[in-house]
């Protein structure tokens, strides 16, 4: 039996496949690609393709495709992409009717087979789906997070780097709040290698970049007919890696708030430290009055969709 870490990827679609490819190349552990029975062979085929790729690239990882939850048993990390992505013209919230029952069935699998895992949810609408996953599994808040802030910050960073004509490596930014069109790019925490971004990018350009960041997911859906998958997968792997390698990284993540920033019983993006114990700390950073107001607006949207989820009985 392998003593490597085990990573269960729930959903073997576009993001699931890229997650598997990245985890394998980084040799983070053995990988199980899980999907519904109708797509079991598809998951098996993807797993085999990726195992064959190990021979070319040179990585050690066992990759298995399955639709049997027993194969996920004992996973150290579970990353959930099960559900449908957006089509052009749809909002993330439009997905709730389809994705809520899916998340509930995945939660049952996680609860029974992976109760000790660090769980990262990607399925949309993100903040409401991760709320339901935690509620339905009863897992502690240290071990359930939603991926959105790392991706939204990456989009913000890219647009800033292009505008300022500097290397992407030197841009540090933070996008907080819900994963929706009123997410909160925090300018007071955004620098180009320590230099305030407001010194290098004009205010009206910043406003345009903030607007583009907020609709960054929709821009790709409109172009491709489905949602992004390379950057979302990389963002989730950064979070998984922080846990598996105890990196203690400061990453914006959707976490269960219990009074932090003045919000309770809600999942929303805030800066956290992720290390070997999962969410090791929730940081309450100083925000300007403007940023607090934007966060309040975003929290209101998240609360609205979370309330819909809470009011929907299990079928
Ligand atoms: P897609 O390529 O369709 O893959 C989803 C997979 O989930 C499919 O293979 C389905 O068969 C599978 N699935 C459905 N039901 C179940 C189930 N009960 N158990 C296991 N697997 C199941 O979609 P995708 O990979 O492009 O996107 C997946 C999700 O991520 C969607 O909800 C997207 O909206 C969301 N997404 C979130 C972000 C964030 O930043 C939060 C970014 C991009 C996409």
């Amino acid at each position: 039996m392998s003593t490597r870490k085990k990573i269960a990827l729930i959903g073997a679609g576009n993001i699931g496949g890229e997650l598997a490819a990245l985890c394998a190349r980084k040799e983070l552990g053995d990988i199980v690609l899980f999907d519904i029975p109708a797509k079991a062979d598809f998951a098996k085929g993807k797993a085999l393709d990726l195992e064959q790729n190990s021979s070319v690239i040179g990585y050690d990882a066992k990759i298995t495709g399955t639709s049997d939850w027993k194969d996920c048993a004992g996973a150290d990390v579970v990353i959930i992409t099960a559900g449908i992505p957006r089509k052009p013209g749809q909002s993330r919230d439009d997905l709730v009717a389809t994705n809520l029952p899916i998340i509930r069935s995945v939660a049952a699998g996680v609860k029974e087979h992976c109760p000790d895992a660090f769980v990262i949810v990607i399925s949309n609408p993100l903040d409401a789906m991760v709320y339901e996953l935690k509620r339905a599994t009863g897992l502690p808040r240290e071990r359930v997070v939603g991926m959105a802030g790392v991706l939204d910050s990456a989009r913000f960073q890219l647009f800033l780097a292009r505008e300022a004509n500097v290397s992407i490596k030197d841009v540090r930014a933070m996008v907080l709040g819900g994963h929706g069109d009123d997410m909160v790019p925090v300018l007071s925490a955004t620098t180009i290698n320590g230099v305030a971004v407001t010194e290098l990018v004009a205010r009206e350009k910043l406003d345009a970049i903030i607007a583009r960041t907020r609709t960054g997911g929709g821009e790709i859906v409109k172009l491709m007919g489905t949602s992004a998958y390379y950057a979302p997968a990389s963002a989730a792997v950064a979070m998984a890696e922080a846990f598996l390698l105890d990196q203690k990284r400061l990453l914006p993540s959707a976490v269960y708030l219990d009074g932090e920033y003045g919000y309770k019983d809600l999942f929303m993006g805030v800066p956290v430290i992720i290390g070997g114990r999962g969410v090791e700390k929730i940081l309450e950073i100083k925000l300007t009055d403007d940023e607090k107001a934007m966060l309040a607006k975003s929290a209101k949207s998240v609360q609205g969709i979370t309330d819909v989820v809470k009011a929907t009985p299990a079928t």
Side-chain angles (χ1 to χ4, degrees):
M1 206 190 98
S2 172
T3 56
R4 287 189 204 124
K5 296 290 185 188
K6 182 166 174 179
I7 301 159
L9 305 174
I10 312 303
N14 283 339
I15 305 179
E18 181 60 12
L19 284 169
L22 284 170
C23 290
R25 283 182 195 208
K26 286 173 169 275
E27 297 189 319
L28 293 181
D30 288 336
I31 296 156
V32 180
L33 253 180
F34 175 97
D35 213 300
I36 50 174
K39 290 189 73 179
D41 280 350
F42 178 75
K44 284 178 189 166
K46 243 186 204 190
L48 192 55
D49 185 11
L50 284 162
E51 275 203 319
Q52 290 166 1
N53 200 25
S54 71
S55 161
V56 185
I57 307 257
Y59 49 75
D60 285 307
K62 187 168 172 240
I63 308 170
T64 318
T66 188
S67 62
D68 186 343
W69 268 103
K70 287 196 196 86
D71 293 324
C72 301
D76 298 282
V77 171
V78 174
I79 309 180
I80 299 167
T81 60
I84 55 162
R86 282 195 281 172
K87 293 192 179 62
Q90 278 189 313
S91 81
R92 295 178 181 92
D93 293 356
D94 292 336
L95 304 178
V96 78
T98 312
N99 287 354
L100 179 58
I102 291 177
I103 281 293
R104 285 180 172 162
S105 88
V106 170
V110 170
K111 189 174 178 179
E112 185 176 349
H113 298 280
C114 319
D116 300 318
F118 180 61
V119 181
I120 304 171
V121 177
I122 305 184
S123 312
N124 271 319
L126 190 272
D127 306 277
M129 293 302 101
V130 65
Y131 179 93
E132 182 61 14
L133 192 283
K134 181 186 177 303
R135 193 202 60 74
T137 56
L139 290 180
R141 73 166 174 165
E142 293 73 26
R143 287 201 279 111
V144 183
V145 291
M147 186 295 294
V150 177
L151 173 66
D152 296 329
S153 302
R155 288 177 173 154
F156 191 35
Q157 285 164 185
L158 173 73
F159 303 148
L160 288 171
R162 292 293 183 261
E163 180 56 40
N165 198 21
V166 298
S167 165
I168 187 71
K169 293 176 192 157
D170 288 332
V171 185
R172 313 302 314 164
M174 177 98 68
V175 177
L176 304 181
H179 185 54
D181 293 351
D182 44 21
M183 62 182 75
V184 186
V186 181
L187 279 183
S188 61
T190 302
T191 75
I192 298 180
N193 217 355
V195 177
V197 71
T198 42
E199 284 192 37
L200 295 170
V201 182
R203 186 67 235 196
E204 67 275 12
K205 297 279 185 198
L206 280 175
D207 288 341
I209 287 173
I210 287 171
R212 189 175 177 195
T213 301
R214 287 187 165 139
T215 54
E219 184 179 353
I220 292 178
V221 172
K222 210 167 153 197
L223 290 165
M224 293 206 303
T226 190
S227 48
Y229 45 96
Y230 293 113
S234 300
V237 169
M239 296 166 79
E241 206 174 6
F243 168 76
L244 288 167
L245 306 184
D246 190 22
Q247 291 173 329
K248 307 204 186 298
R249 290 202 62 191
L250 195 171
L251 298 170
S253 310
V255 290
Y256 183 82
L257 298 176
D258 188 23
E260 293 86 0
Y261 291 89
Y263 300 102
K264 237 179 170 4
D265 194 31
L266 194 71
F267 265 84
M268 192 167 69
V270 296
V272 306
I273 304 286
I274 299 180
R277 285 179 285 121
V279 176
E280 298 193 347
K281 197 170 182 179
I282 296 177
L283 300 173
E284 290 198 70
I285 59 169
K286 223 184 226 162
L287 298 173
T288 64
D289 287 346
D290 245 18
E291 289 160 355
K292 278 184 203 156
M294 285 192 281
L295 195 64
K297 184 170 177 237
S298 184
K300 203 170 161 207
S301 307
V302 173
Q303 188 68 64
I305 189 73
T306 304
D307 286 345
V308 170
V309 163
K310 281 180 175 175
T312 308
T315 47

